[in-house]
């Protein structure tokens, strides 16, 4: 039979061990493992993601990959993307966004826009400190804020960026080969046509 | 060390002399002749004022320190840091809390009884601030020397029950009323063992005056064990009972069910915000310090030093050291024990604490009349030990309910 009240003493011993241990465990290995956030920051894992951004190669104006196809705008579940196509001087639409806004107060970080983009142009960022004093204006990110270089993308998500780069490179090689083949075919056809013409041309006097 | 010992009293005397001198100087300067009764009256008033200011200042400082120390200690016991942002190691946290409380909106529910809702915090804090008046803080340092100080303490302490119920009833909120009902049930139930164990100390000391009880615990047996009541079998039990009763009276864990967050939002405090909430909070802490002070007075030898060779430390230091120790132990208990269920709480008070306090009373009487020797020790230990084991066995072991419990719907 346990002495009545011995359970309380056992419990008090446990808390006492915690109390004293929290002063002795200097390395903070087992106790006091709280991260002191603004001073100590966690190292983010590579797959961490927050909000989307737009990738460009080289120059933010010319190198922008987005073609304003609006697929992401349609697919985004909470409808937080807003895109307007750019026009040239004659009012003819060109394949480039004039306005590209993402309301990150609505975005839920689902990455669906990234999955559906056929031009590898929208990717997930890993910034988390985006709090602002204004609920509406400052949390709508415009094209200028969204555009980030491919170099930055390689920094934050190396593996994924390498895969994307490989895909783009493969597509480029394939396209070049196809173009070459098409050119050869065209040249051959031209030659054949010329030959045929030469064949049918002579003996007008016959 | 004579100087430190006398420091508080000397300060008071200095202030009084200052007032006296200033008054005399002013009178001669203005050419007024004071009537003979004026000066003593003035000095009495000033000395009362000095004592009030001193008590309030000391208790406010303790409250501020306690509010941050409690959270830090609790955090350490749960392997956290606790508040460490405001100031050096979070020491300015009470200031931040105070500013936050004062700048909050003071909401009064539309359906509330406005007058009672307003009066409740006042009715709570006034008795709480009057409680510390009879506690002897050091040799000759009793703010008010009352020959029935213990009686005064419990009579005033009962006033908080009224305040709690005023708060709960006037809020017009079911959680508040339920919290207040629980608080009343708990305070009334635990007041009984509390008073009983105080009676034991008063009985053995033969006086109701706190100073007299402290003086009765002076001296050492065998040359080094102090004659505090806690070092006798009945005194130990009565001290524990008083401690548990004090926990319940000050609504602290594990007796915090009047304001159990998970069940009742905040009990009778639900509809209070801002400064009124802060006042309730303060009254609770001041009440806790006061009742701990009484515990120190009754059982832990008040301002007496624990061994002869430590007597050079001023007596009031000893009092506050013991008080701090008790406050720490209350935080420790809070970190350890979960909240009671209401039926367990009532059962504990009526089936365990009350019989135990009667047993301790008898043990004290036996000890007193059996000559305080080894025989008295053995007898009184038996008288409190047997009921303890029996009650513990029959009231709190589950064997007679656990076996025949059937779960109808799971079969
Ligand atoms: S991550 Fe999801 S919610 Fe955010 S913009 Fe892309 S599709 Fe919309
Ligand atoms: S980001 Fe991709 S899917 Fe969205 S409009 Fe631009 S190219 Fe299209």
């Amino acid at each position: 039979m346990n002495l009545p009240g011995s359970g309380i003493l056992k419990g008090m011993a446990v808390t006492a061990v915690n109390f004293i241990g929290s002063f002795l465990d200097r390395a903070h290995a087992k106790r006091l493992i709280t991260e002191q956030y603004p001073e100590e920051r966690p190292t983010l894992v590579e797959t961490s993601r927050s909000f989307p951004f737009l990738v460009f190669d080289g120059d933010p104006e010319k190198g922008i990959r987005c073609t304003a196809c609006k697929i992401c705008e349609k697919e985004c579940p909470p409808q937080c993307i807003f895109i307007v196509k750019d026009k040239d001087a004659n009012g003819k639409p060109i394949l480039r966004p004039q306005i590209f806004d993402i309301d990150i107060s609505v975005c839920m970080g689902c990455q669906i826009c990234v999955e559906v983009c056929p031009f590898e142009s929208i990717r997930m960022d890993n910034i988390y400190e985006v709090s602002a004093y204004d609920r509406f204006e400052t949390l709508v990110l415009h094209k200028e804020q969204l555009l980030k270089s491919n170099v930055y993308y390689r920094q934050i998500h190396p593996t994924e960026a390498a895969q994307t780069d490989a895909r783009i490179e493969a597509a480029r090689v394939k396209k070049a080969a196809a173009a070459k083949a098409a050119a050869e075919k065209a040249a051959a056809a031209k030659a054949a046509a010329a030959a045929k013409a030469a064949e049918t041309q002579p003996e007008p006097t016959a | 060390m004579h100087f430190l010992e006398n420091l508080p009293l000397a300060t008071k005397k200095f202030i009084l002399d200052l007032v006296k001198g200033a008054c005399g100087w002013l009178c001669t300067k203005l050419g007024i002749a004071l009537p003979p009764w004026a000066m003593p009256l003035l000095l009495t008033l000033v000395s009362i004022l000095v004592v009030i200011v001193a008590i309030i200042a000391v208790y406010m400082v303790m409250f501020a320190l306690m509010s941050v120390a409690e959270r830090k200690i609790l955090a350490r016991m749960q392997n956290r840091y606790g508040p460490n942002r405001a100031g050096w190691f979070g020491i300015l946290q009470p200031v931040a809390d105070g500013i936050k409380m004062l700048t909050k909106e003071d909401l009064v529910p539309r359906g509330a009884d406005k007058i009672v809702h307003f009066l409740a915090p006042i009715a709570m804090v006034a008795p709480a601030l009057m409680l510390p008046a009879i506690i002897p803080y050091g040799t000759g340092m009793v703010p008010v020397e009352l020959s029935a100080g213990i009686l005064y303490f419990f009579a005033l302490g009962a006033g908080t029950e009224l305040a709690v119920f005023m708060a709960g009833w006037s809020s017009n909120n079911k959680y508040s009323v339920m919290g207040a009902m629980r608080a009343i049930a708990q305070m009334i139930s635990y007041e009984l063992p509390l008073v009983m164990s105080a009676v034991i100390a008063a009985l053995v000391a033969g006086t109701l005056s706190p100073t007299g009880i402290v003086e009765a615990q002076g001296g050492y047996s065998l040359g080094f064990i102090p004659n505090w009541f806690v070092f006798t079998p009945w005194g130990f039990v009565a001290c524990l009972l008083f401690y548990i009763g004090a926990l319940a009276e000050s609504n602290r864990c594990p007796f915090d069910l009047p304001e159990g967050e998970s069940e009742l939002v905040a009990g009778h405090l639900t509809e209070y915000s801002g400064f009124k909430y802060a006042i309730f909070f303060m009254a609770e802490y001041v009440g806790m310090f006061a009742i701990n002070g009484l515990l120190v007075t009754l059982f832990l030898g008040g301002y007496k030093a624990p061994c002869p060779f430590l007597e050079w430390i001023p007596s009031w230091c000893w009092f506050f050291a013991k008080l701090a120790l008790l406050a720490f132990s209350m935080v420790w208990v809070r970190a350890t024990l979960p909240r009671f269920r209401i039926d367990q709480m009532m059962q504990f008070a009526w089936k365990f604490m009350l019989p135990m306090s009667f047993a301790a009373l008898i043990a004290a009487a036996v000890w007193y009349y059996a000559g305080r020797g080894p025989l008295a020790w053995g007898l009184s230990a038996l008288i409190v030990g047997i009921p303890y084991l029996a009650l513990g066995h029959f009231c709190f072991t589950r064997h007679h309910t656990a076996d025949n419990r059937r779960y109808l719907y799971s079969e």
Side-chain angles (χ1 to χ4, degrees), chain B residues 309-379:
Chain B
F309 57 85
L310 282 177
E311 268 174 3
W312 54 271
I313 297 176
S315 56
W316 46 275
C317 288
W318 281 117
F319 179 85
F320 285 108
K322 290 171 190 174
L323 197 61
L325 208 66
L326 275 181
F328 175 80
S329 79
M330 285 201 162
V331 178
W332 189 4
V333 166
R334 179 176 167 191
T336 308
L337 299 182
R339 188 183 305 139
F340 271 126
R341 224 167 46 208
I342 184 104
D343 60 320
Q344 291 170 331
M345 187 267 284
M346 293 307 258
Q347 199 183 22
F348 190 65
W350 294 101
K351 290 195 189 163
F352 180 78
M353 301 248 312
L354 196 61
M356 275 314 290
S357 60
F358 285 130
L361 182 66
I362 297 170
V366 167
W367 185 82
Y368 191 81
Y369 286 109
R372 310 186 176 205
L375 174 73
W377 258 79
L379 275 179

Side-chain angles (χ1 to χ4, degrees), chain B residues 64-65 67-69 71-72 83-100:
Chain B
L65 286 180
S67 70
V68 59
R71 287 150 74 181
K72 297 233 37 131
N84 62 355
R85 294 280 143 178
W88 189 70
F89 281 102
I91 202 75
L92 290 182
Q93 189 66 34
V95 181
D97 283 343
I99 292 172
K100 186 194 110 179

Side-chain angles (χ1 to χ4, degrees), chain A residues 52 75-78 80-81 102 106-114 124:
Chain A
E75 292 290 334
C76 173
C80 63
I81 307 181
I102 296 181
V106 175
C107 172
M108 59 187 185
C110 65
Q111 211 180 343
I112 284 178
C113 48
V114 176
M124 298 307 276

Side-chain angles (χ1 to χ4, degrees), chain A residues 54 65-72 83 100 117-119 121-122:
Chain A
L54 290 173
R65 289 181 187 173
C66 176
T67 57
C69 69
K70 299 199 182 181
I71 294 178
C72 56
I83 302 172
F100 197 116
C117 177
F119 298 96
S121 93
I122 192 164

